[in-house]
Amino acid sequence: MKFFLIAALCGIMFGADPGYKVLERIKVGGNGGWDYVYVDSGAQRLYASHTNQTEVIDLASGKVVGKIADTTGVHGIAIATDLGKGYTSNGRANNVSVFDLQTLQTLASVATGKNPDAIVYEPVTHRVVTFNGSSKDSTVIDAKTGAVVATVPVAGKPEFAQVDGKGKIYFNVEDTNELAEMDAATAKITKRFALTGCDSPSGLAFDSQKRHLFSVCENKVMVVSDPDAGKVIATAPIGTGADGVAFDNGYAFSSNGRDGTVTVVSGDKFDVVQTVTTEKSARTIGADPKTHKLYLPAAEQGSATVGKDGKQGRPGIVPDSFMIVVVGK
């Protein structure tokens, strides 16, 4: 009896293990690198950036059902279900591809700033916004017409972004360790504040009910902030090599690519409740709010490369090993 009482108290004090695990690995194949994934929960489709094309996966069957071609150096994907259109940020082409959600055929190409990275669709204003790493600005596009509405300087290198569904867009500023707020209607930066304790924030997730933002940082920290108050409210330790974070079902999930783990953080007490072993290289992540599954792009790693200076570089990618790691309960 004492043992069970102690175990129960430990669960209350430190947070009960929610029981996440790897459920399967979806074989995609092909060569090259990747960046973000986007979960279209309503259509049960996963869009995965993959070098110069975007793979489309049916989540019910776990099968690749199509691709969006010629998305050169693609980073991110945004979906406008109400318009029947999708958008990819093509980092090496400095443009956005507009595609039809049904046929996956490219409808148009829109020029952006240099190296568009994160991309979001803001549903109140029907605007698509890219965050351009090299030109340190943001391109605001009318999603209906494809016309560029504005180019917004952001005074730093923008990283991942989130919309709040009320006309605000939040994004990390990697080289200044800040979080910024943009008003989508006016296309202006309306707020920015320091992410105290964070070095080089990259991935960003949003708890829309409590209005908390979760930034993952290079120094193995997740920073929780209140964008309305403009301040950091908590931090939590995470693994190494995180480039993505998702929020779902009351938890924030940090994808730690160098460790090959996901750190699960409670969305109320902000404590670490579980560490899930996934796959080394799985550094970005998407969550399905319908099935509560997580999707992490990854590939098998080969031998590390060695530069001309003799220093060891990143491990190589085993050819045709690109996959999506599925985590759930």
Side-chain angles (χ1 to χ4, degrees), residues 206-287:
F206 184 53
D207 177 353
S208 59
Q209 292 187 337
K210 296 182 179 178
R211 292 189 61 80
H212 291 157
L213 287 162
F214 300 83
S215 301
V216 290
C217 312
E218 193 175 81
N219 57 324
K220 301 196 295 183
V221 171
M222 179 187 293
V223 169
V224 188
S225 61
D226 179 339
D228 300 323
K231 64 179 183 179
V232 170
I233 59 174
T235 61
I238 58 174
T240 304
D243 194 27
V245 58
F247 186 86
D248 178 64
N249 205 25
Y251 299 100
F253 304 87
S254 168
S255 48
N256 314 311
R258 197 169 300 171
D259 289 348
T261 63
V262 166
T263 305
V264 187
V265 175
S266 165
D268 50 9
K269 296 182 179 179
F270 312 122
D271 53 349
V272 175
V273 294
Q274 189 183 359
T275 299
V276 185
T277 299
T278 54
E279 188 86 29
K280 287 190 176 180
S281 80
R283 58 185 177 80
T284 57
I285 188 170

Side-chain angles (χ1 to χ4, degrees), residues 8-325:
L9 288 172
C10 287
I12 293 171
M13 288 173 62
F14 299 107
D17 184 329
Y20 285 92
K21 60 185 178 182
V22 173
L23 301 177
E24 63 176 316
R25 288 170 168 82
I26 299 172
K27 168 76 172 180
V28 178
N31 300 319
W34 62 90
D35 203 352
Y36 306 125
V37 290
Y38 182 93
V39 180
D40 184 349
S41 186
Q44 282 297 283
R45 277 183 166 181
L46 179 76
Y47 295 84
S49 63
H50 195 190
T51 308
N52 296 325
Q53 64 184 29
T54 300
E55 314 279 2
V56 186
I57 299 162
D58 176 69
L59 294 180
S61 65
K63 303 293 185 183
V64 177
V65 294
K67 67 180 180 181
I68 300 108
D70 301 322
T71 57
T72 306
V74 58
H75 286 286
I77 305 97
I79 299 296
T81 304
D82 55 339
L83 302 179
K85 296 178 182 180
Y87 309 82
T88 65
S89 54
N90 309 322
R92 288 201 293 273
N94 298 325
N95 64 23
V96 164
S97 292
V98 185
F99 64 93
D100 184 277
L101 292 182
Q102 297 300 317
T103 66
L104 303 180
Q105 296 301 304
T106 300
L107 304 173
S109 176
V110 182
T112 66
K114 294 180 180 179
N115 188 24
D117 190 346
I119 182 170
V120 294
Y121 172 62
E122 201 295 299
V124 176
T125 57
H126 303 290
R127 290 180 167 181
V128 171
V129 183
T130 68
F131 295 86
N132 313 315
S134 295
S135 53
K136 297 188 176 182
D137 55 21
S138 178
T139 303
V140 182
I141 302 166
D142 185 320
K144 294 180 179 179
T145 66
V148 173
V149 176
T151 298
V152 184
V154 300
K157 184 183 179 183
E159 251 289 348
F160 205 75
Q162 292 285 349
V163 300
D164 74 345
K166 299 178 181 180
K168 301 294 185 184
I169 304 172
Y170 301 102
F171 61 96
N172 290 321
V173 186
E174 184 178 23
D175 54 353
T176 64
N177 301 334
E178 291 178 300
L179 194 136
E181 175 190 270
M182 179 188 294
D183 184 288
T186 62
K188 295 184 181 298
I189 304 298
T190 48
K191 184 186 296 182
R192 59 195 304 146
F193 59 90
L195 290 175
T196 306
C198 174
D199 292 339
S200 299
S202 54
L204 183 68
F206 184 53
D207 177 353
S208 59
Q209 292 187 337
K210 296 182 179 178
R211 292 189 61 80
H212 291 157
L213 287 162
F214 300 83
S215 301
V216 290
C217 312
E218 193 175 81
N219 57 324
K220 301 196 295 183
V221 171
M222 179 187 293
V223 169
V224 188
S225 61
D226 179 339
D228 300 323
K231 64 179 183 179
V232 170
I233 59 174
T235 61
I238 58 174
T240 304
D243 194 27
V245 58
F247 186 86
D248 178 64
N249 205 25
Y251 299 100
F253 304 87
S254 168
S255 48
N256 314 311
R258 197 169 300 171
D259 289 348
T261 63
V262 166
T263 305
V264 187
V265 175
S266 165
D268 50 9
K269 296 182 179 179
F270 312 122
D271 53 349
V272 175
V273 294
Q274 189 183 359
T275 299
V276 185
T277 299
T278 54
E279 188 86 29
K280 287 190 176 180
S281 80
R283 58 185 177 80
T284 57
I285 188 170
D288 184 350
K290 184 176 182 180
T291 64
H292 305 302
K293 292 180 179 180
L294 309 169
Y295 298 91
L296 298 89
E300 294 177 28
Q301 293 186 326
S303 301
T305 58
V306 179
K308 293 181 179 179
D309 56 1
K311 293 183 179 180
Q312 184 170 298
R314 291 182 177 181
I317 298 171
V318 174
D320 204 36
S321 67
F322 184 57
M323 71 183 92
I324 304 296
V325 180

